[in-house]
Amino acid sequence: MHELSIATSLVRLAEASAREAGAARVTRVHLRLGALAGVVREALDFAYEVATEGTLLAGSELVVDDVPVAVWCPACEAERTLPTIHRFRCPTCDTPTPDVRAGRELEISHLDVEVEDSVSGPPASGDGHADRLPQPPWSPLRRG
């Protein structure tokens, strides 16, 4: 199950970014997941829960933004979203096209975190204020 290695990498990256920003806890990890990424969503959800144990992400939510496959149609000269991943033809004019523009993504878009207050210490569960940390574009999980 390669989803466990993906989840482990995702947790490692998110935790490093959160620590660097001084976060006390990560509450949500927002992930863009393309239809062609080759990831089984249910397996990733299970693996994520296992991989977060004992980390700043323990108990956090994995929020997945599904990214459909988009291709460039040379006949229409336009980007088109495919209704299925099994037929790489323009849904408007039926021209075959191998030019994939979106749908391979596997990237952290941002993190929701609780930030440690330097005066009073770490926030109690749910009492800290939440911030969003963007994921840098150099993320090893970035595909697409």
Side-chain angles (χ1 to χ4, degrees):
M1 167 162 79
H2 77 284
E3 284 79 2
L4 183 56
S5 64
I6 291 170
T8 302
S9 294
L10 184 143
V11 168
R12 192 176 318 123
L13 285 168
E15 186 170 39
S17 292
R19 285 189 191 283
E20 187 176 306
R25 182 173 176 270
V26 176
T27 57
R28 283 185 198 86
V29 174
H30 296 263
L31 181 71
R32 292 177 32 84
L33 182 61
L36 298 176
V39 175
V40 177
R41 172 73 187 277
E42 294 77 18
L44 181 61
D45 287 339
F46 175 76
Y48 178 82
E49 189 173 322
V50 170
T52 60
E53 289 179 14
T55 70
L56 289 181
L57 286 80
S60 66
E61 178 184 4
L62 179 62
V63 179
V64 178
D65 178 22
D66 294 312
V67 180
V69 178
V71 296
W72 178 259
C73 176
C76 296
E77 295 186 347
E79 188 171 290
R80 304 285 189 208
T81 300
L82 298 182
T84 176
I85 64 169
H86 304 292
R87 191 167 189 269
F88 281 72
R89 292 180 158 283
C90 175
T92 304
C93 72
D94 206 36
T95 299
T97 178
D99 189 356
V100 177
R101 299 289 173 102
R104 294 184 180 125
E105 294 80 359
L106 177 55
E107 61 189 24
I108 298 171
S109 60
H110 61 276
L111 306 173
D112 292 347
V113 301
E114 291 177 351
V115 179
E116 188 172 307
D117 182 353
S118 60
V119 176
S120 62
S125 179
D127 293 337
H129 67 282
D131 284 328
R132 278 199 167 166
L133 301 178
Q135 178 62 34
W138 46 259
S139 168
L141 286 176
R142 189 176 199 97
R143 291 186 192 169

